[in-house]
C-alpha cells in the first residue's frame, strides 16, 4: 500500500471529469459502452441530436455539437424527454442514439431511454469525497435548523438530510422507527440503500448479466431482454470483479519503480521529440527557402523579359508617333517639303524633290492603312503556374509507404450534412485520418481548410450552407507519418434545407395496387393479377388509373428540398407537389384525373395548353419512366421530343419555395435544375407521387432519417 499512500483524493481529478461538459460529474449515468456521463449531459446530447434533425426546416443550422460544451436546453424539454414511458407521435422523431463523448461510438438507449440507465453511485460518492477534500474548511450546514443554521454533525441516508446534534435528536427520537435510520458523517451525496431495476422499478437488483455487463433483476432474466443471456448472482459477480480489480491494483502498486522508470523515459522522449521537432522545422524552413530562391530567380527573369518587351514596343510606338507628327503642317516632313517647293532653280529642285517625293508617297500610303508599330497585348507573357500550383498543393512529407486514401464518390453525398467516405488498402491500414473541407465561393475564391480527425473511413460534416460548393480531401496518418492528400471531391449542397417525411399509409393509399414497406420510405406498384381481372373493361374505354401516394407532412411556408430514387424498371411514375384541395379532388375521382385530355405535367387541361402555359396551378407533376425524364411542354423552349426527353437521373431532387410559389426538379448527381415552374401555394402543399404499371420509389435516407427507428430485430 506504499504507492497508494502518496495518492490523495486530490490527485484523481482527471478521472472525475465528465467527457461532455468537462466538469466534475453530477449524477453520473452508466452508458451501454460502460462510460459514465452526467445525467443532464445525456439529456442535452439527446436534445442536440434531436434538434439537428428537427431544425431542417429552418435556414439556420444547429450550432451545437455533441463533441463540444453543450448549451442548456429548456426545462420543459428536459422534463418531457426524461419522463418514463415518453413517446412521440408518428410525425415526431424519436432519438435514442447519440455518440458517446468518451469513446465516440454510437450508443443506443433503447425504448426506455434515459430511464433505462443505471446511476453510478460509486463514482458519485468518490466525486463527493473529492469535493469535500477540495473545499476542506467548508462545512455542511444543518438542513432543519432555524436561521442561522448550525454546522451539521451527521447525515441520515433514509431522510436524505443533514442534521446538527440537536435537530437529529428532535427528528429521530428514541423508541420510534426513525431512530433505526442509518446515518453517516456530514455529506451532500445521498444514495439509495437498495439498487432498483430501471426496467422493473419495484424489483431490486440481484443478478449480473455477463453478456451486457450490467446488473439485472429476476424479471429481466425470466421474460425480459436478458432471458437468453448468461447471468450470475450479484454476490458472485461482486466477489469476482473485486478480486480482479484488487489483483490489478496490487500489480500496479508492485510496479511502482517500473512506473517511475517509464515516467522518466517518457520525459526523455518528450525532450527528444521537442529537439527533433525543432530540427525538422529548421529543415523544412531550409527547403522552403530554397523554393523561395528559385521562385525569386524566376520572378526576376520573367519581370526582366516583360520590361524588355515593353521598352522595345514603346520605342517603336515613339518612333511611329514622331513620324506621324512630321506629317503635320509646318513641322517635320511637311514643313521641309514646303520649303523645297520654294526652290526656283529647276536643276536643284529636281535633285532634291525626287527623294522627298518618295517619302511623301510612303507617308500618304501609311495614312490610308494605319497599322500600329507594335502590339499592346502581353498575353504571350502570362505565366502559367497551374501545374506548379498543383504540385505545390500536394507538397508533403515523405510518406514512407503510406498510400494516399481515395474518396468514394458513390458513397459520399451531401444534403444539409455531408457524408464523406473513403477507402484505404488493407495492407497499409492507417492509424487515423484527417478530413479537410472548405467552401468555394461563387467567384471561385477558396477559403481556408477546416480539419477534423477521424478514426474510421467515413465522417459526417454538419453546418453546411445551402446552395454552395464544398471541396473535400483526406489524408492518412500512420504513427507520425502523413500521406499526401487525396484528390479533391467537389459537392454541391441543395438549394434549401432537407424536408423530412415518410409515405402516408392512410391518405389515398391503395394497398391493392401499392406495396409500402414497414419503414414507409419505399413504395412499389405491381401490375399483376388485379390489372388482368379488370382488363375486359379496357374494350369499353376504361383507362388504367394512376395510384397516388403522398408525404405524411405538409408545407405551409419556407424553402424545402427532398430527394428520392425511381427504380430503373419503372414504367410510369409522376412526381412533384400538390395542394391539399387538389389531392382531395384526385383521390375522390381518380378516373377523371387520368383522362386523355388531362395533362398533369403542365398543370392544366392539355386541350387549352396554349392559352394556359403561364397560369399558376395548385400542383406540378413531371413524368418519369422507362429510364427517361420527360420535361413538360413550355412556350419558352423547344417542345421537340428530342429536347424534352432526358436520361433519368440516379437520384431526383425537388425544391419547393412556398413563399415565392416556385417548384424545381433537380438532377442530384450534378445538383442541376432540369425543370422549374410556378405553382399556386395558397393551400398546404404535399410531396405527391403517382405510379402506373410496375414501378418503385425509394426516399433518400437523409429525408427519412428524422423519423425512422432502426430496430435490431427488423
Amino acid at each position: 500500500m506504499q504507492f497508494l499512500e502518496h495518492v490523495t483524493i486530490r490527485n484523481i481529478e482527471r478521472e472525475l471529469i465528465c467527457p461532455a461538459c468537462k466538469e466534475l460529474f453530477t449524477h453520473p449515468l452508466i452508458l451501454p459502452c460502460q462510460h459514465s456521463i452526467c445525467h443532464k449531459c445525456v439529456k442535452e446530447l439527446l436534445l442536440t441530436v434531436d434538434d439537428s434533425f428537427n431544425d431542417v426546416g429552418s435556414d439556420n443550422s444547429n450550432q451545437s455539437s455533441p463533441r463540444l460544451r453543450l448549451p442548456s436546453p429548456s426545462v420543459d424539454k428536459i422534463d418531457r424527454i426524461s419522463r418514463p414511458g415518453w413517446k412521440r407521435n408518428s410525425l415526431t422523431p424519436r432519438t435514442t442514439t447519440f455518440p458517446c463523448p468518451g469513446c465516440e461510438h454510437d450508443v443506443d438507449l433503447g425504448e426506455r431511454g434515459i430511464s433505462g440507465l443505471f446511476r453510478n453511485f460509486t463514482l458519485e460518492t468518490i466525486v463527493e469525497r473529492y469535493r469535500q477534500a477540495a473545499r476542506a474548511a467548508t462545512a455542511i450546514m444543518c438542513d432543519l435548523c432555524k436561521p442561522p443554521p448550525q454546522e451539521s454533525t451527521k447525515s441520515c441516508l433514509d431522510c436524505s438530510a443533514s442534521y446538527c446534534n440537536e435537530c437529529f435528536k428532535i427528528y429521530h427520537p428514541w423508541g420510534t422507527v426513525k431512530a433505526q435510520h442509518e446515518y453517516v458523517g456530514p455529506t451532500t451525496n445521498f444514495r439509495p440503500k437498495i439498487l432498483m431495476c430501471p426496467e422493473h422499478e419495484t424489483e431490486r437488483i440481484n443478478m449480473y448479466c455477463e453478456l451486457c455487463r450490467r446488473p439485472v433483476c429476476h424479471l429481466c432474466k425470466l421474460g425480459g431482454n436478458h432471458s437468453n443471456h448468461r447471468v450470475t448472482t450479484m454476490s458472485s459477480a461482486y466477489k469476482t470483479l473485486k478480486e480482479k480489480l484488487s489483483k490489478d491494483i496490487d500489480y500496479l502498486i508492485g510496479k511502482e519503480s517500473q512506473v517511475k522508470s517509464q515516467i522518466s523515459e517518457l520525459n526523455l522522449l518528450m525532450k527528444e521529440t521537442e529537439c527533433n521537432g525543432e530540427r525538422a522545422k529548421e529543415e523544412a524552413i531550409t527547403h522552403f527557402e530554397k523554393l523561395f530562391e528559385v521562385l525569386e530567380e524566376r520572378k526576376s527573369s520573367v519581370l526582366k523579359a516583360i520590361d524588355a518587351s515593353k521598352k522595345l514596343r514603346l520605342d517603336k510606338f515613339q518612333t511611329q508617333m514622331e513620324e506621324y507628327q512630321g506629317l503635320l503642317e509646318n513641322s517635320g516632313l511637311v514643313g521641309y517639303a514646303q520649303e523645297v517647293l520654294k526652290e526656283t532653280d529647276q536643276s536643284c529642285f529636281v535633285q532634291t524633290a525626287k527623294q522627298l517625293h518618295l517619302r511623301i508617297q510612303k507617308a500618304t500610303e501609311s495614312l490610308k492603312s494605319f497599322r500600329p508599330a507594335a502590339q499592346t497585348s502581353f498575353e504571350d507573357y502570362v505565366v502559367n503556374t497551374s501545374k506548379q500550383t498543383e504540385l505545390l498543393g500536394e507538397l508533403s512529407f515523405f510518406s514512407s509507404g503510406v498510400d494516399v486514401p481515395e474518396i468514394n464518390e458513390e458513397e459520399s453525398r451531401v444534403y444539409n450534412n455531408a457524408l464523406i467516405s473513403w477507402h484505404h488498402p488493407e495492407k497499409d491500414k492507417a492509424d487515423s485520418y484527417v478530413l479537410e473541407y472548405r467552401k468555394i465561393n461563387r467567384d471561385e475564391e477558396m477559403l481556408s481548410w477546416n480539419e477534423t480527425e477521424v478514426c474510421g473511413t467515413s465522417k459526417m460534416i454538419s453546418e453546411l450552407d445551402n446552395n454552395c460548393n464544398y471541396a473535400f480531401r483526406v489524408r492518412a496518418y500512420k504513427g507520425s507519418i502523413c500521406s499526401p492528400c487525396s484528390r479533391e471531391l467537389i459537392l454541391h449542397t441543395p438549394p434549401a434545407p432537407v424536408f423530412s417525411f415518410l409515405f402516408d399509409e392512410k391518405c389515398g393509399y391503395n394497398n391493392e395496387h401499392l406495396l409500402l414497406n414497414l419503414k414507409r420510405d419505399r413504395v412499389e406498384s405491381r401490375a399483376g393479377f388485379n390489372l388482368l381481372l379488370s382488363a375486359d373493361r379496357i374494350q369499353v374505354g376504361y383507362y388504367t388509373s394512376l395510384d397516388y401516394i403522398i408525404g405524411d407532412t405538409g408545407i405551409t411556408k419556407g424553402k424545402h428540398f427532398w430527394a428520392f430514387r425511381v427504380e430503373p424498371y419503372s414504367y410510369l411514375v409522376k412526381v412533384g407537389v400538390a395542394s391539399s384541395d387538389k389531392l382531395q379532388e384526385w383521390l375522390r375521382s381518380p378516373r377523371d384525373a387520368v383522362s386523355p385530355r388531362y395533362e398533369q405535367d403542365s398543370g392544366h387541361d392539355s386541350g387549352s395548353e396554349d392559352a394556359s402555359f403561364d397560369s399558376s396551378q395548385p400542383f406540378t407533376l413531371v413524368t418519369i419512366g422507362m429510364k427517361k425524364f420527360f420535361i413538360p411542354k413550355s412556350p419558352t423552349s423547344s417542345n421537340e421530343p428530342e429536347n424534352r426527353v432526358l436520361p433519368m437521373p440516379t437520384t431526383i431532387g425537388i425544391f419547393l419555395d412556398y413563399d415565392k410559389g416556385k417548384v424545381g426538379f433537380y438532377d442530384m448527381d450534378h445538383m442541376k435544375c432540369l425543370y422549374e415552374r410556378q405553382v399556386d401555394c395558397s393551400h398546404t402543399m404535399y410531396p405527391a407521387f403517382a405510379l402506373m404499371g410496375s414501378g418503385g420509389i425509394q426516399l433518400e435516407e437523409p429525408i427519412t432519417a428524422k423519423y425512422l427507428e432502426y430496430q435490431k430485430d427488423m
Side-chain angles (χ1 to χ4, degrees):
M1 301 300 291
Q2 182 180 0
F3 180 63
L4 284 180
E5 291 176 358
H6 298 282
V7 182
T8 65
I9 193 68
R10 293 176 179 268
N11 296 335
I12 63 172
E13 179 177 358
R14 62 178 298 179
E15 303 294 332
L16 310 180
I17 298 297
C18 173
C21 63
K22 306 303 180 184
E23 296 178 356
L24 290 175
F25 281 106
T26 303
H27 305 308
L29 300 178
I30 303 176
L31 299 179
C33 61
Q34 301 303 306
H35 289 99
S36 293
I37 184 174
C38 294
H39 186 240
K40 62 179 179 62
C41 292
V42 177
K43 297 177 183 177
E44 292 171 358
L45 283 170
L46 287 174
L47 289 173
T48 301
V49 177
D50 193 24
D51 290 342
S52 67
F53 291 112
N54 290 342
D55 290 345
V56 294
S58 170
D59 290 338
N60 297 324
S61 59
N62 192 348
Q63 300 298 320
S64 60
S65 170
R67 312 289 184 204
L68 305 176
R69 179 72 176 273
L70 302 172
S72 297
S74 60
V75 176
D76 59 333
K77 293 183 76 174
I78 288 182
D79 290 342
R80 176 166 51 83
I81 199 170
S82 60
R83 190 177 303 129
W86 172 73
K87 294 184 178 181
R88 304 169 183 256
N89 57 33
S90 61
L91 297 184
T92 309
R94 184 176 185 276
T95 306
T96 61
T97 302
F98 63 91
C100 170
C103 60
E104 297 190 356
H105 289 90
D106 287 340
V107 293
D108 190 353
L109 303 187
E111 283 293 324
R112 293 186 58 82
I114 296 178
S115 60
L117 298 177
F118 279 106
R119 190 167 157 187
N120 195 336
F121 289 108
T122 302
L123 176 58
E124 195 169 338
T125 301
I126 298 174
V127 170
E128 176 60 24
R129 287 163 49 196
Y130 173 82
R131 293 183 189 274
Q132 291 181 2
R135 58 179 174 246
T138 304
I140 299 176
M141 309 310 291
C142 178
D143 294 327
L144 282 302
C145 275
K146 295 180 180 180
Q150 300 295 317
E151 183 177 340
S152 64
T153 58
K154 53 179 67 70
S155 296
C156 179
L157 298 181
D158 295 275
C159 301
S160 299
S162 298
Y163 301 88
C164 64
N165 285 331
E166 294 300 324
C167 290
F168 188 80
K169 294 177 181 178
I170 295 174
Y171 291 96
H172 297 77
W174 288 104
T176 64
V177 176
K178 286 191 174 182
Q180 306 300 321
H181 285 187
E182 181 181 355
Y183 62 89
V184 294
T187 182
T188 57
N189 177 43
F190 298 98
R191 53 192 285 182
K193 301 175 68 174
I194 300 176
L195 195 61
M196 307 303 290
C197 178
E199 297 186 19
H200 310 95
E201 299 176 357
T202 60
E203 300 295 329
R204 63 182 296 175
I205 295 298
N206 55 7
M207 288 182 285
Y208 182 80
C209 178
E210 296 181 353
L211 179 63
C212 302
R213 296 185 298 174
R214 61 175 290 166
V216 296
C217 70
H218 70 283
L219 292 182
C220 293
K221 174 59 179 174
L222 290 177
N225 297 329
H226 307 270
S227 57
N228 296 324
H229 297 177
R230 181 179 177 181
V231 299
T232 184
T233 62
M234 188 59 66
S235 59
S236 176
Y238 170 81
K239 181 179 179 181
T240 302
L241 292 175
K242 194 160 189 175
E243 287 178 355
K244 289 182 178 179
L245 184 59
S246 300
K247 183 178 180 180
D248 292 339
I249 292 176
D250 291 339
Y251 175 82
L252 291 177
I253 294 173
K255 297 295 182 179
E256 179 181 0
S257 58
Q258 181 179 345
V259 171
K260 290 182 178 180
S261 174
Q262 291 174 349
I263 291 175
S264 300
E265 184 178 353
L266 289 174
N267 284 327
L268 293 176
L269 292 176
M270 290 175 62
K271 293 179 180 179
E272 184 179 352
T273 301
E274 185 74 24
C275 294
N276 291 339
E278 292 300 321
R279 188 180 300 111
K281 285 174 60 178
E282 293 175 358
E283 292 178 357
I285 291 173
T286 301
H287 288 298
F288 277 103
E289 286 178 348
K290 290 181 179 179
L291 287 177
F292 294 154
E293 291 176 1
V294 174
L295 288 175
E296 284 294 333
E297 182 181 349
R298 294 301 302 155
K299 174 184 174 181
S300 177
S301 176
V302 168
L303 293 180
K304 286 181 180 179
I306 294 176
D307 286 337
S309 178
K310 181 181 71 173
K311 184 178 183 303
L312 179 62
R313 297 182 190 192
L314 290 176
D315 290 343
K316 289 183 178 180
F317 280 129
Q318 183 65 32
T319 302
Q320 187 179 21
M321 186 173 62
E322 291 176 354
E323 291 179 356
Y324 273 85
Q325 285 178 344
L327 300 181
L328 298 177
E329 186 178 2
N330 300 323
S331 64
L333 182 62
V334 174
Y336 174 67
Q338 289 175 340
E339 294 297 325
V340 172
L341 288 175
K342 295 178 182 180
E343 177 64 52
T344 57
D345 187 281
Q346 295 181 358
S347 298
C348 293
F349 176 81
V350 171
Q351 182 182 11
T352 306
K354 182 61 178 178
Q355 181 64 28
L356 179 61
H357 185 247
L358 293 175
R359 292 179 62 191
I360 293 294
Q361 282 184 327
K362 185 177 180 181
T364 303
E365 291 175 358
S366 67
L367 286 175
K368 294 179 180 178
S369 57
F370 174 74
R371 292 180 181 178
Q375 294 182 352
T376 60
S377 172
F378 279 79
E379 59 184 10
D380 293 337
Y381 287 83
V382 176
V383 180
N384 182 10
T385 61
S386 58
K387 183 178 180 180
Q388 289 75 14
T389 301
E390 183 179 354
L391 290 175
L392 288 174
E394 297 176 355
L395 186 64
S396 182
F397 305 106
F398 291 110
S399 62
S400 299
V402 180
D403 292 335
V404 180
E406 296 181 7
I407 296 182
N408 191 324
E409 296 187 19
E410 295 182 357
E411 296 182 4
S412 299
R413 49 188 173 178
V414 62
Y415 291 91
N416 293 72
N417 304 326
L419 175 63
I420 307 300
S421 300
W422 58 90
H423 53 82
H424 207 228
E426 284 292 334
K427 65 180 180 62
D428 189 32
K429 197 69 174 178
D431 299 330
S432 63
Y433 302 88
V434 170
L435 175 64
E436 299 181 349
Y437 64 97
R438 66 181 175 184
K439 180 179 176 181
I440 305 175
N441 290 341
R442 298 189 183 279
D443 55 358
E444 299 300 322
E445 177 186 357
M446 295 290 191
L447 302 179
S448 59
W449 289 98
N450 300 296
E451 294 186 355
T452 178
E453 186 174 355
V454 187
C455 295
T457 55
S458 65
K459 179 66 176 178
M460 182 75 73
I461 302 297
S462 58
E463 302 179 9
L464 302 181
D465 295 334
N466 296 322
N467 199 23
C468 293
N469 283 319
Y470 281 87
F472 300 88
R473 67 186 187 185
V474 65
R475 62 179 186 268
Y477 279 88
K478 190 172 185 180
S480 58
I481 304 300
C482 170
S483 76
C485 288
S486 67
R487 182 177 56 85
E488 292 185 13
L489 173 65
I490 308 296
L491 295 177
H492 192 97
T493 56
V498 171
F499 178 65
S500 297
F501 66 90
L502 297 174
F503 288 122
D504 196 326
E505 59 184 342
K506 298 178 181 178
C507 182
Y509 171 61
N510 187 344
N511 57 10
E512 294 183 358
H513 296 169
L514 299 179
L515 177 62
L516 186 63
N517 68 349
L518 294 176
K519 296 179 180 179
R520 295 196 290 127
D521 66 335
R522 178 181 177 84
V523 64
E524 294 183 6
S525 172
R526 297 184 175 180
F529 194 66
N530 292 328
L531 181 62
L532 295 176
L533 289 177
S534 60
D536 57 332
R537 286 177 286 179
I538 297 179
Q539 300 174 358
V540 292
Y542 175 80
Y543 293 94
T544 304
S545 64
L546 290 168
D547 292 306
Y548 288 92
I549 189 167
I550 64 174
D552 60 1
T553 308
I555 300 172
T556 56
K557 63 178 180 179
K559 299 178 181 180
H560 305 275
F561 185 88
W562 60 94
F564 52 87
R565 299 192 307 274
V566 175
E567 297 298 341
Y569 64 81
S570 301
Y571 173 68
L572 190 154
V573 174
K574 287 180 176 287
V575 298
V577 295
S579 65
S580 53
D581 58 338
K582 178 55 67 173
L583 287 171
Q584 292 178 5
E585 176 185 330
W586 287 347
L587 299 177
R588 278 200 304 265
S589 54
R591 290 195 187 183
D592 295 340
V594 292
S595 168
R597 289 177 53 81
Y598 199 86
E599 175 56 58
Q600 294 168 350
D601 292 340
S602 58
H604 52 267
D605 186 279
S606 60
S608 59
E609 60 188 21
D610 294 337
S612 306
F613 266 122
D614 297 330
S615 61
S616 181
Q617 298 295 323
F619 67 95
T620 293
L621 298 174
V622 299
T623 302
I624 301 170
M626 302 177 69
K627 300 182 180 181
K628 302 294 182 182
F629 182 96
F630 298 88
I631 298 179
K633 293 181 180 180
S634 170
T636 59
S637 60
S638 174
N639 289 318
E640 296 298 326
E642 59 270 16
N643 296 325
R644 293 180 52 218
V645 180
L646 302 176
M648 184 181 73
T650 304
T651 306
I652 301 169
I654 296 181
F655 166 51
L656 175 64
D657 189 337
Y658 186 94
D659 300 329
K660 292 185 178 180
K662 184 183 296 184
V663 61
F665 298 82
Y666 283 74
D667 176 357
M668 285 292 296
D669 294 336
H670 307 93
M671 200 56 70
K672 176 184 177 182
C673 184
L674 304 177
Y675 173 66
E676 186 178 65
R677 67 160 289 138
Q678 294 295 124
V679 62
D680 181 8
C681 294
S682 56
H683 295 82
T684 302
M685 305 299 291
Y686 288 85
F689 307 85
L691 301 93
M692 186 173 73
S694 297
I697 302 174
Q698 173 71 55
L699 298 180
E700 279 291 89
E701 183 179 347
I703 309 302
T704 61
K706 176 180 176 183
Y707 297 133
L708 292 184
E709 299 177 14
Y710 297 98
Q711 300 178 2
K712 295 181 180 179
D713 57 345
M714 289 182 58

